[in-house]
């Protein structure tokens, strides 16, 4: 069992608290991704699990064993870093097996482990090459192979794909997920890229200022964000936000937004929104949930600032009364910067957030 438990874990640098009391359980065999903006504490959290950062207070357990005060080598975690950290003068075989050589693992046993790791990672034909003769993706696989032969309880990944180009990043995302399915080992993965988080994780932990904003499976994060921060961080392009106010007239709840935007909210949202009539409220709508030609739906008039043709569809990036707004239209739509376009909103896909604290209204 390799369940990870963080209980009341904090990290201070002098008087600066970078991780307030943090409670997190990562289940045995789970693939958890820690995601958030730069400086949110995700790498620090990972390094505390690995033992590379000492915690200020709290407790860390791995597989039920208290490892809070254990040095990294005794925690049975294998870490894969952003930099490959390969020895340039050694072959792939020697790079993968170096840790076993240092620990005095018998040569025959080490060779078997190296061959197995190479087979898992499709590196068999490259075992006698030097790192300089490999692509970035192959070098990263060597770094992962070095972790595999340790037979760890937990794999820890610290932004391992950041140095790869876009195509290789996609390929390596798939390979790491396949590796997780084959090994079934607990994996904790840190990234600032929410697309990586959404495509790889069993569960995503969204961090801000060292605190967990929401921890859930990717689809729940996308469809039911708990607050405006999560809603804006998850999804590419990010969600549009329109500040306004709720009012009630003749039994209907209306949202009054910027400019001429005013509409009655859908009937199935009335019960949740009615306690907040008269209050400031923020409407959230994702670009993919906008409509190009639906006059019956509420619309936002934007001044087009830029156009991003993406093949299957086009993004119109503009402003609505000084507020940035992105709408998704068909690839056949023609627009130029300076044009004024009305983007309609799918009322069934809207999100509403408290104007005061940004929490979701449901």
């Amino acid at each position: 069992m390799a369940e990870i438990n963080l209980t009341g874990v904090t990290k201070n640098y002098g008087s600066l608290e970078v991780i307030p009391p943090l409670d997190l359980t990562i289940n045995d065999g789970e693939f958890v991704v820690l995601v958030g903006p730069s400086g949110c504490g995700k790498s620090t959290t990972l390094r505390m699990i690995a033992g590379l950062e000492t915690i200020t207070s709290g407790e860390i357990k791995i597989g039920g064993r208290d490892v809070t005060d254990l040095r990294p080598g005794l925690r049975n975690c294998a870490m894969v870093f952003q930099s490959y950290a390969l020895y340039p003068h050694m072959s792939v075989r020697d790079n993968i097996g170096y840790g076993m050589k240092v620990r005095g693992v018998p040569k025959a046993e080490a060779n078997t482990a190296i061959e197995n790791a190479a087979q898992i990672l499709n590196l068999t034909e490259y075992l006698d090459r030097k790192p300089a003769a490999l692509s970035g993706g192959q070098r990263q696989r060597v770094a992962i192979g070095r972790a595999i032969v340790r037979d760890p309880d937990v794999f820890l990944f610290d932004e391992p794909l950041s140095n790869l180009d876009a195509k290789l990043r996609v390929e390596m995302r798939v390979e790491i997920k396949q590796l997780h399915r084959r090994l079934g080992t607990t994996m904790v993965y840190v990234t600032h890229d929410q697309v990586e988080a959404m495509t790889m994780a069993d569960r995503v932990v969204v961090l801000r200022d060292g605190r967990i904003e929401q921890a859930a499976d990717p689809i729940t994060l996308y469809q039911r964000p708990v607050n405006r921060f999560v809603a804006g961080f998850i999804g590419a392009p990010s969600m549009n936000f329109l500040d306004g106010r709720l009012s009630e007239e003749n039994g209907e709840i209306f949202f009054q937004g910027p400019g001429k935007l005013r509409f009655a909210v859908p009937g199935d949202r009335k019960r949740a929104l009615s306690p907040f009539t008269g209050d400031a409220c923020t409407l959230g709508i994702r670009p993919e949930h906008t409509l190009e030609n639906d006059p019956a739906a509420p619309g936002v008039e934007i001044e087009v600032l830029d156009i991003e043709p993406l093949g299957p569809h086009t993004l119109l990036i503009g402003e609505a009364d000084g507020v940035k707004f992105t709408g998704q239209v068909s690839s056949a739509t023609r627009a130029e910067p300076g044009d004024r376009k009305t983007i309609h909103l799918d009322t069934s896909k809207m999100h509403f957030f408290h104007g005061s604290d940004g929490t979701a209204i449901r």
Side-chain angles (χ1 to χ4, degrees), residues 9 12-13 42 79 90 110 172 180 197 220 222 284 294 300 327 335:
V9 170
N12 297 347
Y13 293 104
K42 53 190 182 295
M79 194 156 181
M90 291 184 182
M172 285 302 300
H180 178 249
T220 298
Y222 178 82
D294 190 349
V300 176

Side-chain angles (χ1 to χ4, degrees), residues 236-237 287-288 307-316 327-333:
E288 58 268 34
I307 301 97
E308 292 188 352
L310 297 174
H313 57 264
T314 294
L315 297 177
L316 298 184
Q328 180 174 300
V329 297
S330 74
S331 56
T333 298

Side-chain angles (χ1 to χ4, degrees), residues 43 46-47 79-82 156-160 188-190:
S43 289
L46 191 78
R47 291 172 64 84
M79 194 156 181
V80 179
F81 297 92
Q82 179 178 346
L156 305 174
F157 295 88
D158 191 4
E159 302 202 42
V188 187
Y189 187 105
V190 160

Side-chain angles (χ1 to χ4, degrees), residues 61-192:
K61 288 185 175 181
I62 298 177
R65 184 170 63 116
D66 188 345
V67 301
T68 307
D69 298 317
L70 291 183
R71 61 181 176 84
L74 299 177
R75 298 190 182 201
N76 202 23
C77 297
M79 194 156 181
V80 179
F81 297 92
Q82 179 178 346
S83 60
Y84 314 128
L86 303 181
Y87 296 105
H89 63 287
M90 291 184 182
S91 67
V92 168
R93 181 187 302 276
D94 290 339
N95 266 285
I96 293 176
Y98 181 74
M100 291 186 289
K101 181 179 179 181
V102 170
R103 295 192 301 272
V105 175
K107 190 171 183 179
E109 182 182 337
N111 283 336
T112 299
I114 292 167
E115 295 287 346
N116 288 340
Q119 185 174 6
I120 289 171
L121 296 166
N122 296 317
L123 288 172
T124 303
E125 63 183 286
Y126 306 107
L127 282 174
D128 296 318
R129 294 191 187 182
K130 300 287 178 62
L134 303 177
S135 69
Q138 289 164 344
R139 293 178 196 178
Q140 191 57 277
R141 291 208 298 269
V142 176
I144 294 171
R146 188 171 49 196
I148 288 175
V149 297
R150 290 192 56 185
D151 191 24
D153 293 328
V154 175
F155 283 93
L156 305 174
F157 295 88
D158 191 4
E159 302 202 42
L161 309 186
S162 296
N163 292 332
L164 304 181
D165 62 39
K167 184 174 183 293
L168 276 176
R169 286 171 74 100
V170 173
E171 292 175 359
M172 285 302 300
R173 288 205 307 255
V174 173
E175 290 190 16
I176 291 173
K177 277 298 291 180
Q178 290 176 337
L179 176 67
H180 178 249
R181 283 195 292 269
R182 283 196 293 265
L183 300 180
T185 309
T186 307
M187 293 187 178
V188 187
Y189 187 105
V190 160
T191 181
H192 65 275

